[in-house]
Amino acid sequence: MTTPKSNPRGIIPIAKPLIGADERAAVMQVLESGQLAQGPRVDAFEAAFAAHVGAPYAVAVNSGTAALIVALQARGIGPGDEVITTPFSFIATATSIIACGATPVFVDIDPFDFNLDPALIEDAITDNTKAVMPVHLYGNPARLGELRTTCDDFELELIEDAAQAHGAVHQDQPIGATGTACFSFYPTKNMTTGEGGIITTDDAEFAARCRIIRNHGQGERYLHTMFGLNWRMQDINAAIGLVQLEHVDEWTERRIANATQLSRLLTHVETPRIREGNRHVFHQYTVRVSHDRERLQDALKAAGVGSAVHYPIPLHQQPILQEMGFGEGSFPVAEAAADSVLSLPVHPSLTEDEIGYIAETVNRLTS
Ligand SMILES: Cc1ncc(COP(=O)(O)O)c(C=O)c1O
């Protein structure tokens, strides 16, 4: 590893939320309207987001985690049930299942794209299995066709953790257009509402159940027919989301163009892989490195290039989940991924010059 060249432009951040004058004006309008909780802007945002992904229904909530919990509950997942999912994700994938009283059951990932390996699902199915929850990790679609077939064969629910996958496409079909998908609008996501999340679906009855659950389980005022809590999105957040929706397609195109350029320029790391017919929206641009990753990150930082590890500890090895009894070696592909992945800046504000600098710096430090 050679001595890093310092970047006179300061650090290139790993993520950069884009908030402009229109978002500020939209928030001011909400504040002036006096309608601070869920109101007409949430309705408008749900309609706009549903139209954007091509889903008949969308139910907005106050985080991506809330979207997963509400969707699981509305699909009837509860105590005693098992949900098959990936060990290589953000913690909310597993804790949302636990929040419903159910048990996450991990199966290993596909080394090609870090997503749930459909070939391993059948062996994990028991009499208690009720659902499968794939994650479209980094914005790269999981193998939904095979997962749907298994779910149909075994009468399981398929609930997609699409927290990172706004605008992603699986075999010509936008993620969220059919089935049940849960998106996050956390500030670093491809579009944001501040905090926020949304469930998209083509199932009217399921959407109605989600609406009841997100509002204390009340279908009518003060009549509580289901267990629910306050998972509602605020109008302030929806107002930001409505503006962001106008830009997300252009931002996504830029992310894809930045990723394409990085993959063309990087010479000594394994670049992301995409299945034919899919659209990866590069919430993260994540490479595999065979170097001392911590040293490499320090050297990148010194050279002005931000980086991050998504994720350094697989879910089954997290202290909160270790009581399930999984040891090292339980999911070797996920463990190897956790040891080798490194995310580089790919966000839409990067200039061509910065992309060249990121690639040149990574190449120099890994050669
Ligand atoms: C894969 C995945 N699932 C779930 C979540 C939870 O979303 P939120 O942070 O909006 O609750 C996130 C967001 O960080 C995520 O990346």
Side-chain angles (χ1 to χ4, degrees):
M1 205 177 281
T2 51
T3 318
K5 199 167 81 175
S6 74
N7 178 4
R9 294 163 291 206
I11 193 102
I12 302 171
I14 181 73
K16 192 172 176 186
L18 289 163
I19 298 290
D22 288 349
E23 282 89 344
R24 284 193 284 277
V27 169
M28 282 309 292
Q29 266 180 18
V30 179
L31 293 176
E32 282 157 13
S33 77
Q35 175 62 56
L36 303 185
Q38 182 184 309
R41 283 166 187 86
V42 170
D43 293 343
F45 181 57
E46 289 180 340
F49 194 84
H52 195 259
V53 301
Y57 310 98
V59 182
V61 289
N62 47 30
S63 71
T65 309
L68 292 170
I69 294 171
V70 171
L72 283 161
Q73 240 186 287
R75 286 288 180 213
I77 313 297
D81 295 339
E82 294 174 1
V83 178
I84 295 174
T85 192
T86 166
F88 194 51
S89 182
F90 180 63
I91 189 74
T93 303
T95 46
S96 59
I97 296 166
I98 295 169
C100 296
T103 304
V105 171
F106 299 115
V107 304
D108 214 345
I109 55 170
D110 179 348
F112 180 86
D113 57 8
F114 307 116
N115 281 324
L116 201 52
D117 187 343
L120 303 177
I121 303 254
E122 217 172 301
D123 280 351
I125 295 174
T126 71
D127 289 346
N128 296 325
T129 309
K130 289 283 156 51
V132 176
M133 187 192 282
V135 177
H136 306 300
L137 198 70
Y138 310 141
N140 201 5
R143 284 155 67 185
L144 281 182
E146 290 150 272
L147 293 170
R148 279 197 190 112
T149 304
T150 306
C151 286
D152 288 347
D153 289 351
F154 290 87
E155 295 183 5
L156 305 175
E157 304 289 354
L158 181 64
I159 297 166
E160 298 165 50
D161 181 339
Q164 309 183 352
H166 319 74
V169 175
H170 174 265
Q171 302 301 308
D172 301 326
Q173 188 156 58
I175 295 295
T178 58
T180 306
C182 301
F183 296 83
S184 162
F185 300 119
Y186 183 75
T188 56
K189 295 293 191 280
N190 290 19
M191 62 168 285
T192 187
T193 58
E195 295 278 7
I198 208 162
I199 304 153
T200 57
T201 183
D202 52 7
D203 178 342
E205 280 175 33
F206 167 75
R209 284 196 299 279
C210 288
R211 288 183 204 289
I212 291 172
I213 291 167
R214 84 165 158 193
N215 190 22
H216 298 290
Q218 58 183 343
E220 280 172 47
R221 197 159 174 79
Y222 300 134
L223 182 66
H224 304 272
T225 52
M226 299 175 82
F227 178 76
L229 295 168
N230 178 359
W231 303 115
R232 297 183 303 260
M233 179 180 271
Q234 301 178 91
D235 255 25
I236 295 170
N237 302 89
I240 297 171
L242 279 165
V243 177
Q244 294 260 312
L245 253 187
E246 290 173 22
H247 301 287
V248 69
D249 286 343
E250 183 203 327
W251 292 337
T252 303
E253 291 296 341
R254 272 199 255 158
R255 281 180 183 272
I256 293 169
N258 292 347
T260 307
Q261 182 71 339
L262 282 169
S263 290
R264 204 173 60 77
L265 296 173
L266 289 168
T267 48
H268 288 83
V269 294
E270 265 188 68
T271 55
R273 300 172 193 151
I274 310 165
R275 285 207 158 68
E276 194 142 348
N278 287 358
R279 182 183 199 227
H280 182 338
V281 289
F282 292 100
H283 168 57
Q284 301 295 347
Y285 180 86
T286 304
V287 299
R288 280 170 248 228
V289 298
S290 51
H291 301 72
D292 177 341
R293 188 174 57 189
E294 225 169 287
R295 264 188 75 201
L296 176 59
Q297 279 198 276
D298 286 346
L300 283 168
K301 189 174 171 193
V305 177
S307 66
V309 176
H310 303 104
Y311 296 92
I313 306 172
L315 298 182
H316 66 283
Q317 294 185 307
Q318 290 289 350
I320 184 78
L321 294 169
Q322 258 173 352
E323 67 195 34
M324 291 174 68
F326 296 114
E328 197 173 321
S330 303
F331 304 105
V333 185
E335 290 166 31
D339 285 341
S340 65
V341 290
L342 184 68
S343 302
L344 299 170
V346 74
H347 54 79
S349 339
L350 291 176
T351 63
E352 222 179 300
D353 188 40
E354 285 174 321
I355 291 166
Y357 181 77
I358 294 164
E360 180 200 308
T361 309
V362 173
N363 287 345
R364 185 159 40 79
L365 295 170
T366 53
S367 61

